[in-house]
Amino acid sequence: MISGRARLALCAWAATLMAACALLPLVEPSVWFVQAAFLLAVQSGVGAAARRVPLARPLTVVAQVVVTLVLLTLAFAREHAVAGLIPGPDALRFFAGLLDQGGNDVSRYAIPAPLSDGIRLMLIGGVLVIGLLVDTIAVTFRSAAPAGLPLLALYSVAAGLSDNGVDWLWFLLAAAGYLMLLLAEGRDRLSQWGRVFGGVPGPGGDSPGAVAPVRTGRRIGAVALGIALVVPLALPAMNGGLLGPSGTGVGSGSGGGGTISAVNPLVSLRDSLNVDEDRQVLSVRSELTDTSDLYLRIVSLDDFDGTTWKPSKRSITTVPDGTFPTPPGLGPDIGRTEIGTTISTADWYAQDWLPMPYPPSGVAIRGNWRYEPVGMTLVGDHGQNTRGLSYEVRSLYVQPTAEQLADAPDPAPALQREYTGLPDSLPDVVSRTAREVTEGADNDYDRAVKLQEYFTLNGGFEYDTEVDVGSGSQAIARFLRDKQGFCVHFSFAMASMARSLGIPARVAVGFAPGTPQADGTVSVGLRDAHAWPELYFEGVGWTRFEPTPTRGSTPAYTVPDAADSTVPDPARPSQAEPSEPSGDPSQSESCSAERRKLDGCGSESPQAVLPAGDDGPKWSALLLWALAGLVVLVLPLTPMLSRARTRAVRLGGHGRSEADAAPYILGVWDELTDTAWDHGIAPDESLSPRGAADRFVRVGRLD
């Protein structure tokens, strides 16, 4: 029969694997999980054998650490190990290189990422480390309650990276594993007093059914797991705004409807801009002769909370057959040309939103895609993404004139309210600067052009990656003061300032025009990831502006002297050639292939992005999230933990004098009485100690 300590070790192994299931959606394929389960079983077995010898507790942990290193060496670095088994200096250097490769792969790939050796080492190594901590705390040191912390840490990492709509399931599974571990420890502790007995028999001597510990465990488990289903909905969000990990399109039922939530539209704009190697994401072939205006839009961000912009929760429907509806606000007298664009995506690029020229008029694509009518975007449903796709898009190349934009009437009140809302936390300097910049303008078009020129021409702004713009609601204010940043800062600032002037605005995220190739295609790379503001003009619709210097192209309709010309204005900063050659690396995303080979194109530094406090998961939020999860697990167990504390005090160490012995004996007797009461045997104060003991034996059916 399996011993209590062995049963506890088995539960610790199972609880770790149940928490590790939250990592399964992060990579494909999931064969690493089988390997992790086997190696974790070996590690737990070594601990069980060491405790049976028995070894001292520290030596047990050392034995498990040594075996874990040997297991990882056999699995990953056998060729670099001494005798193919012992991890020497070469093996340790190989591990360091593999971990570095894994870190690069994590920042490069979307979720689910391919199972590279580096990612596999990070996953399996992480599970083994957490498993060792859980086994050490819960089994070796016999304290299962604190073992929930490493389990919670494992789940938190997975939940912070993934947003696939079933996070509650992984939380439920991890919570069930933790409860199983606690109940196993409680049963092991009780078994040290003898056989676990049940409650008082029912009428007629019938068995009361499940023993009291099991009934108590069921009640605690039901309460805790019920809370586990509800509380994750109230925990701090880990999506991280614009620069967080990619989310998943969410549809319901057969795919005919549902909603999409405010998930991140890019894998990570920050990581895309900061890669050392500008890998090709898309290959584009267009009927448009001049591809300098060929922006590929992924999604629009229209919900501004004062810290970042994100897409609103919208209803989705089936992709329309044939021609899409007319874009919102586009009138019949605006010049337009329908063009066709064929787009092929890289095999490693897994994006939930479909890159397309805006506004699309029709899409020919295979797969499980849904249509969001407000933003005119396509989003993958039930795991559909852009990996290795080839599709055709028909879109409208809209060519309004400056006069048409200047004469645009006021938009509908409902639209104006929705797209001009600003949070109270936005600093006053944003609206004040907007009014100063646009002073003297007669209409919204003139104000929008003045805002664009403020950033690109006469505001003294620099496209600079070595910046620190602050965090929270002060980020835009810091950017306006320091006047250094990149596309995220420029687009966020201009859209916020436009809203403060009553101009409906949102931020579009996607790709700037790529690099034309000799075969007539356009290569769009990771560094072409871009964000730009879109402003609404009644009769024209959502209209692109380009406030970021040296990026993309300035729209012709924003240059009054060349409003009807498609020829770029050479005076514009985003298209100008330097008057003198510069020895500095080019910041232009149209850097030639030859210069890339020579490493002559500068890459953007991580310091260029808004700090993690703005765009990524906040450490404070992560800590709060972890503490909230811990409270969820511990709160239902408070009576059990309090009871365990009382028992430990009563049965703890005591002095050897006669004065110390009497209180200790009374404490032991109180503990025996309370333990019996815990299992359904109410105390009888009228009985002597001997009579009470006889009653415990008789009612509890003890030997």
Side-chain angles (χ1 to χ4, degrees), residues 237-316:
M238 295 292 293
N239 292 339
L242 172 63
L243 302 180
S246 175
T248 304
V250 181
S252 61
S254 61
T259 61
I260 51 176
S261 58
V263 296
N264 170 29
L266 287 180
V267 175
S268 172
L269 179 57
R270 169 172 49 195
D271 293 335
S272 297
L273 292 173
N274 292 332
V275 292
D276 294 327
E277 177 189 359
D278 189 15
R279 305 178 68 198
Q280 178 174 295
V281 178
L282 309 170
S283 178
V284 181
R285 186 179 296 275
S286 176
E287 297 175 359
L288 193 63
T289 304
D290 181 7
T291 58
S292 63
D293 284 335
L294 189 60
Y295 281 63
L296 297 178
R297 183 172 169 277
I298 294 177
V299 70
S300 61
L301 316 177
D302 50 24
D303 183 7
F304 183 43
D305 61 7
T307 298
T308 190
W309 292 73
K310 58 193 176 214
S312 299
K313 187 173 183 178
R314 302 287 188 188
S315 298
I316 56 175

Side-chain angles (χ1 to χ4, degrees), residues 301-658:
L301 316 177
D302 50 24
D303 183 7
F304 183 43
D305 61 7
T307 298
T308 190
W309 292 73
K310 58 193 176 214
S312 299
K313 187 173 183 178
R314 302 287 188 188
S315 298
I316 56 175
T317 183
T318 55
V319 180
D321 294 329
T323 303
F324 285 9
T326 302
L330 180 60
D333 55 341
I334 304 299
R336 73 198 75 182
T337 304
E338 188 175 52
I339 60 171
T341 305
T342 302
I343 303 173
S344 299
T345 65
D347 291 336
W348 55 268
Y349 178 65
Q351 171 59 247
D352 300 321
W353 306 76
L354 192 68
M356 297 185 296
Y358 182 84
S361 56
V363 179
I365 188 172
R366 294 181 179 179
N368 197 9
W369 294 92
R370 298 293 170 261
Y371 178 68
E372 193 274 289
V374 176
M376 302 191 73
T377 55
L378 262 65
V379 60
D381 197 13
H382 297 96
Q384 177 67 56
N385 58 47
T386 59
R387 192 191 299 268
L389 284 180
S390 181
Y391 56 98
E392 297 180 2
V393 182
R394 304 295 300 178
S395 61
L396 300 179
Y397 181 49
V398 181
Q399 299 166 289
T401 65
E403 290 75 18
Q404 289 172 324
L405 291 166
D407 295 338
D410 293 335
L415 186 145
Q416 180 135 10
R417 282 194 304 270
E418 180 177 1
Y419 293 100
T420 58
L422 289 172
D424 295 335
S425 60
L426 190 68
D428 293 337
V429 67
V430 177
S431 58
R432 185 171 66 251
T433 304
R435 290 192 301 271
E436 292 172 357
V437 168
T438 61
E439 186 178 2
D442 297 328
N443 51 64
D444 286 347
Y445 165 74
D446 290 340
R447 296 184 186 94
V449 172
K450 282 181 176 289
L451 288 177
Q452 178 176 275
E453 291 178 344
Y454 172 64
F455 291 111
T456 60
L457 285 178
N458 51 38
F461 286 84
E462 296 180 4
Y463 185 78
D464 191 347
T465 62
E466 302 295 331
V467 295
D468 182 6
V469 295
S471 61
S473 61
Q474 297 296 323
I476 296 178
R478 181 74 62 85
F479 168 65
L480 293 176
R481 186 193 70 190
D482 295 345
K483 300 188 175 183
Q484 293 177 324
F486 76 119
C487 62
V488 168
H489 313 111
F490 285 97
S491 58
F492 282 13
M494 180 170 173
S496 302
M497 294 169 74
R499 284 196 173 192
S500 73
L501 298 173
I503 306 174
R506 63 190 186 187
V507 175
V509 175
F511 294 96
T515 305
Q517 305 297 302
D519 60 357
T521 62
V522 175
S523 175
V524 178
L526 282 171
R527 292 186 195 154
D528 290 312
H530 192 40
W532 62 93
E534 292 180 338
L535 276 56
Y536 183 86
F537 293 90
E538 189 65 36
V540 180
W542 291 104
T543 308
R544 176 179 69 87
F545 286 78
E546 185 54 89
T548 307
T550 77
R551 290 281 286 177
S553 63
T554 302
Y557 46 77
T558 64
V559 185
D561 293 338
D564 298 322
S565 172
T566 59
V567 179
D569 183 353
R572 306 301 291 184
S574 60
Q575 301 162 12
E577 294 293 337
S579 58
E580 295 181 3
S582 172
D584 297 331
S586 170
Q587 296 292 342
S588 173
E589 289 303 313
S590 60
C591 182
S592 65
E594 290 77 14
R595 294 200 64 188
R596 289 194 183 103
K597 292 179 182 178
L598 296 174
D599 199 21
C601 301
S603 63
E604 299 190 353
S605 165
Q607 286 81 9
V609 300
L610 294 177
D614 280 47
D615 305 313
K618 299 180 180 179
W619 285 109
S620 58
L622 180 61
L623 178 61
L624 178 62
W625 195 91
L627 291 176
L630 185 62
V631 169
V632 169
L633 294 177
V634 172
L635 188 60
L637 304 174
T638 300
M640 177 187 292
L641 297 177
S642 175
R643 184 72 182 81
R645 173 62 181 169
T646 302
R647 177 182 300 147
V649 171
R650 287 171 172 173
L651 304 181
H654 62 91
R656 299 299 179 182
S657 67
E658 183 176 349

Side-chain angles (χ1 to χ4, degrees), residues 654-678:
H654 62 91
R656 299 299 179 182
S657 67
E658 183 176 349
D660 295 324
Y664 177 70
I665 292 173
L666 289 176
V668 172
W669 178 255
D670 288 339
E671 179 58 32
L672 177 62
T673 303
D674 288 348
T675 300
W677 200 355
D678 288 342

Side-chain angles (χ1 to χ4, degrees), residues 46-111:
V46 170
R51 288 184 290 265
R52 190 174 180 84
V53 169
L55 292 179
R57 289 175 176 178
L59 292 180
T60 299
V61 178
V62 170
Q64 288 181 284
V65 170
V66 171
V67 170
T68 301
L69 288 175
V70 172
L71 291 174
L72 291 174
T73 302
L74 287 173
F76 293 94
R78 186 182 310 169
E79 297 82 1
H80 304 274
V82 178
L85 185 67
I86 302 174
D90 291 342
L92 295 179
R93 282 193 293 269
F94 180 76
F95 277 130
L98 210 55
L99 288 173
D100 185 63
Q101 174 194 329
N104 292 333
D105 290 341
V106 167
S107 65
R108 175 179 300 176
Y109 294 113
I111 295 174

